[in-house]
Amino acid sequence: MTTIAILAAGAMGAGMGLRLAEGGATVLTNLDGRGAGSRARAAEAGMRDVPLDDLAGADMILSIVPPGSAVALAERLAPSLRAGARKPAFVDLNAISPATAERVRAALDGTGCPVVDGCIIGAPPKRAGVSPAVYVSGDPAGLTAPLGRHGLDLKPMDAPFGAASGLKLVYAMCTKGVTALAAGMFLGAERRGAGEALRAELDRSQPELVARFGKAMPDMLPKAYRWVAEMREVAAFLGPDDPAAMMFEGAARIYERLAADAEGSGELGRALLGAAARG
């Protein structure tokens, strides 16, 4: 039986843990400092809470954390992995740039653990549900093959380390990037008194966008704080010489503003939901 450790037990981490446990794997996690929500998700998924040092005894470790925490997690685990007798494969599945993925690999240098670059595209798995796509690159030895055997939709890439991270970011350009553009569009129209006319025109000429944005806006608002770092990873991936990088720094600032609004009055969020849903 394959033992797979997952950090952390957020919505995606717990969903992946659930799918792997359903597929026959033993799934470990560490809940030190985690709240009641994480503990409940881990229990529901059948994940076993063990001391941090015990994660080094797994066959594989999956890192599934917010983008801004990816390097810090690798640094936190490095001493245990360096000291452990077993050397599990460390698979970074976060929404980070290839340059940040290299920083993760550098943080684990000297541990003896192979590091694989990866990404997740899709929603967290539900009980008896389908898996999101899990792309991996820089894994010529097929160290991640057990993920496919235990129920994940594994998609190995014949590409070097960093390619999977790049894929995640360019995909995010057409999902989270477009959602940020739509948020700016709706809020700008509302400020200038053009909201009703905009929605009527979209209903007339772009009905597919109306359906998309009507679903995307309520889904985005509670997650906006998590998408700030991801948009900045996209900007870093594109580089300072690419004018599109400025667009994604702007997207990060839109999400930053919406996240701050959610912590405050919620006025912008209510306006955005009303503008996107009105028809």
Side-chain angles (χ1 to χ4, degrees), residues 234-272:
V234 173
F237 169 68
L238 294 171
D241 295 332
D242 190 329
M246 291 186 288
M247 295 171 57
F248 290 93
E249 174 57 31
R253 293 176 65 183
I254 288 172
Y255 288 133
E256 212 164 39
R257 187 181 182 203
L258 290 170
D261 173 72
E263 293 291 320
S265 68
E267 180 180 357
L268 289 178
R270 288 190 295 273
L272 184 56

Side-chain angles (χ1 to χ4, degrees), residues 157-222:
M157 300 171 67
D158 184 14
F161 186 93
S165 288
L167 171 66
K168 174 66 173 180
L169 294 189
V170 295
Y171 187 82
M173 292 168 72
C174 76
T175 53
K176 300 177 179 77
V178 170
T179 299
L181 177 64
M185 173 185 71
F186 282 122
L187 292 174
E190 290 295 307
R191 284 197 304 272
R192 297 298 183 178
E196 292 286 354
L198 172 65
R199 179 54 193 252
E201 180 56 35
L202 289 174
D203 281 337
R204 184 190 71 82
S205 61
Q206 302 286 343
E208 70 283 356
L209 290 183
V210 172
R212 175 174 178 172
F213 296 151
K215 181 177 183 296
M217 293 303 141
D219 182 62
M220 171 272 291
L221 284 171

Side-chain angles (χ1 to χ4, degrees), residues 31-131:
L31 296 171
D32 293 350
R34 303 290 294 185
S38 292
R39 293 179 180 277
R41 284 188 294 268
E44 173 67 19
M47 302 166 78
R48 288 173 42 201
D49 178 23
V50 301
L52 191 68
D53 288 349
D54 288 1
L55 299 181
D59 298 301
M60 191 183 311
I61 297 174
L62 307 185
S63 173
I64 307 175
V65 293
S69 302
V71 176
L73 175 62
E75 292 172 341
R76 179 180 168 216
L77 289 177
S80 297
L81 296 176
R82 191 173 293 114
R86 301 191 69 185
K87 301 299 177 184
F90 185 96
V91 187
D92 189 292
L93 294 174
N94 300 304
I96 56 177
S97 69
T100 303
E102 289 290 356
R103 290 176 58 205
V104 168
R105 183 157 67 170
L108 295 168
D109 188 37
T111 64
C113 295
V115 182
V116 177
D117 177 51
C119 75
I120 303 168
I121 296 180
K126 304 295 185 183
R127 187 169 297 281
V130 299
S131 164

